[in-house]
Amino acid sequence: MSKRIAGPEIERLIQLLAKVPGLGPRSARRAALHLIKKKEQLLAPLALAMGEAVDKVRVCSTCGNVDTSDPCMVCTDPRRDETTIIVVEDVSDLWALERATALNTRYHVLGGTLSPLDGIRPEDLNIASLVSRVAEGSVVEIILAVNATVEGQTTAHYITDQLDGMGVKITRLAHGVPVGGELDYLDDGTLAAALRSRTAF
Amino acid sequence: MSKRIAGPEIERLIQLLAKVPGLGPRSARRAALHLIKKKEQLLAPLALAMGEAVDKVRVCSTCGNVDTSDPCMVCTDPRRDETTIIVVEDVSDLWALERATALNTRYHVLGGTLSPLDGIRPEDLNIASLVSRVAEGSVVEIILAVNATVEGQTTAHYITDQLDGMGVKITRLAHGVPVGGELDYLDDGTLAAALRSRTAF
C-alpha cells in the first residue's frame, strides 16, 4: 500500500504472506484480511501450528526427509521394506510418490541435483549417506526417481558410479506416455522412449 | 495424505494452510514444504507476525476498519478531511479505494449488506454508528461506495432513508464503462448506464 492505512503489524503480515508460494502481493492482502476476520478460527491456530513447526521440524539424519522426529516416520515405520530405497531429489517428490503409489519402501532425499554451473557438487548432496546406507548391507534395490532433466540424469549417473560393485540393483523410472496424455501433444523424446520401451498388450 | 508420512504437526499445518484463500489442498502442501525449508527466513517470522496480529488487531469502534489501534490509523490521521465519509461494505473495499485513489477522506465500514434471506438486518450492520457520526455535525458528504449488487443497492437506499433530513449530501459511485474495457463484452445494464451518464468530450 502506498499510503499507510494500517498498523505496521498488518503490513508486515501481508509482506510475509506474499512470499508464500501460490500467493502474490494481491492475494496476500486478501489472505491477510481473511485471516484477520477469522482471528479465532484460523489465524490463531495457524500461528500456533507454524510456531510448533518452527520448534519441532527437523531433517531426518538417515534419509533427508523433513519431519517432527529424527529418524522420520518413514524411516522408523516397521511395515516398510528395508531392501528397497527410492532416491528422490526433494521432499516434495517423496510426498508425491507416497500419494501416488502403494509402495512400502524407504526413501533417500538428495536435496537437489548436481549442477556445476550453480556450484552444487556431490558433497553438497546427501550422496555419501546413501552410499553408507547401501554399505550396511540390507539394501537390494535402489530406484533412482530423479527428474528427467539433464541435471537429474547427471546425478543418477554419478550415484550409479558411486554404488558400482556394491552388489545392489539400480533401476530408474520408466519413460513413456503420461496416463491420459495425447500422443499429438507429446515431445519427440518421450514418444521415441515410449516406442522403444513398448510392452506386450 | 492417505498414508501418514509426516508428524501430526506438519499435517495440521497443511490442513490450516489449505483454508487460506488462494491456497487449495495441493498448493497448501507446496506452501508448507517451502515454509519448512525456509524455517528461519520465512516460517519463524510469519509465525511471529501472525501471533502479533492475533494479539493486536482489533476493529475500529468509530469506522469498523481493522487495525492494530482503536481508533484506527485512518480515523486518527489529522490530514484527512473530516467532512467526507466513504461508506463501504467491507475492509477490503476500503483498502482497494485507498490503493486506487488519492482521496483523503474518512471511511465507514458497514460489515456487509442487508440481506433478509440470509437474516442480515440493519442492526447487524454498522449503520447506527454511521448515523451517529453524521449527527455530530461535521460531515458534509456521504459517498455510498457499496457494490452494484441488489443487496448493495438495497443497503444504499436504507442508509439514504436513515440520513434523510440530516442535511448531508449523499452521492454514489458512477456507473460506466471500466477503464480499458471493451464495449462488446459489457453487459447491457452497464452500457445503458454509461450512455445515460455520458459526459462532454
Side-chain angles (χ1 to χ4, degrees), chain B residues 8-69:
Chain B
E9 294 87 353
I10 295 180
E11 307 230 352
R12 180 150 174 75
L13 180 61
I14 295 171
Q15 276 169 18
L16 287 168
L17 279 172
K19 292 182 186 167
V20 175
L23 297 178
R26 216 185 171 92
S27 46
R29 256 194 311 264
R30 205 153 45 86
L33 206 53
H34 182 84
L35 288 170
I36 286 169
K37 281 187 195 166
K38 304 220 163 213
K39 206 163 84 167
E40 301 308 324
Q41 306 100 297
L42 188 53
L43 183 57
L46 193 53
L48 202 72
M50 286 186 172
E52 283 220 324
V54 171
D55 290 340
K56 294 191 182 168
V57 167
R58 56 210 72 244
V59 173
C60 175
S61 54
T62 305
C63 75
N65 186 16
V66 290
D67 202 350
T68 44
S69 56

Side-chain angles (χ1 to χ4, degrees), chain B residues 27-179:
Chain B
S27 46
R29 256 194 311 264
R30 205 153 45 86
L33 206 53
H34 182 84
L35 288 170
I36 286 169
K37 281 187 195 166
K38 304 220 163 213
K39 206 163 84 167
E40 301 308 324
Q41 306 100 297
L42 188 53
L43 183 57
L46 193 53
L48 202 72
M50 286 186 172
E52 283 220 324
V54 171
D55 290 340
K56 294 191 182 168
V57 167
R58 56 210 72 244
V59 173
C60 175
S61 54
T62 305
C63 75
N65 186 16
V66 290
D67 202 350
T68 44
S69 56
D70 178 18
C72 72
M73 271 179 103
V74 174
C75 285
T76 52
D77 187 345
R79 288 163 306 177
R80 285 179 186 266
D81 175 13
E82 297 226 4
T83 63
T84 308
I85 293 180
I86 302 184
V87 177
V88 293
E89 291 179 17
D90 194 278
V91 177
S92 56
D93 302 325
L94 188 165
W95 288 9
L97 283 165
E98 280 292 306
R99 280 199 306 279
T101 66
L103 274 174
N104 267 315
T105 60
R106 309 276 168 170
Y107 288 89
H108 198 85
V109 181
L110 295 173
T113 45
L114 294 177
S115 176
L117 283 175
D118 299 321
I120 300 175
R121 297 153 305 165
E123 51 268 38
D124 298 319
L125 305 177
N126 298 327
I127 293 178
S129 56
L130 175 66
V131 176
S132 307
R133 284 178 83 182
V134 173
E136 283 168 17
S138 54
V139 180
V140 173
E141 181 176 359
I142 294 283
I143 304 173
L144 295 172
V146 291
N147 290 337
T149 56
V150 174
E151 289 83 7
Q153 296 312 306
T154 309
T155 312
H157 282 295
Y158 180 83
I159 292 172
T160 309
D161 284 350
Q162 296 296 304
L163 298 176
D164 191 36
M166 294 182 81
V168 73
K169 186 175 151 195
I170 301 176
T171 56
R172 62 169 188 178
L173 297 185
H175 286 306
V177 182
V179 175

Side-chain angles (χ1 to χ4, degrees), chain A residues 3 5-7 9 21 29 33 36-37 39 52 54 56-57 67-68 73 90 92 95 98-99 103, chain B residues 3 5-7 9 29 33 36-37 39 52 54 56-57 67-68 73 90 92 95 98-99 103:
Chain A
K3 278 180 291 181
I5 57 162
E9 293 86 355
R29 256 194 310 264
L33 206 53
I36 286 170
K37 280 185 195 168
K39 205 163 85 166
E52 284 219 324
V54 170
K56 294 191 183 167
V57 167
D67 201 351
T68 45
M73 270 179 103
D90 195 277
S92 56
W95 288 9
E98 280 293 306
R99 282 200 305 278
L103 274 172
Chain B
K3 279 180 290 182
I5 56 161
E9 294 87 353
R29 256 194 311 264
L33 206 53
I36 286 169
K37 281 187 195 166
K39 206 163 84 167
E52 283 220 324
V54 171
K56 294 191 182 168
V57 167
D67 202 350
T68 44
M73 271 179 103
D90 194 278
S92 56
W95 288 9
E98 280 292 306
R99 280 199 306 279
L103 274 174

Side-chain angles (χ1 to χ4, degrees), chain A residues 140-144 159-160 163-164 168-172:
Chain A
V140 174
E141 180 177 359
I142 294 283
I143 304 175
L144 295 172
I159 292 172
T160 309
L163 298 176
D164 191 35
V168 72
K169 186 174 150 198
I170 301 175
T171 55
R172 62 168 188 178

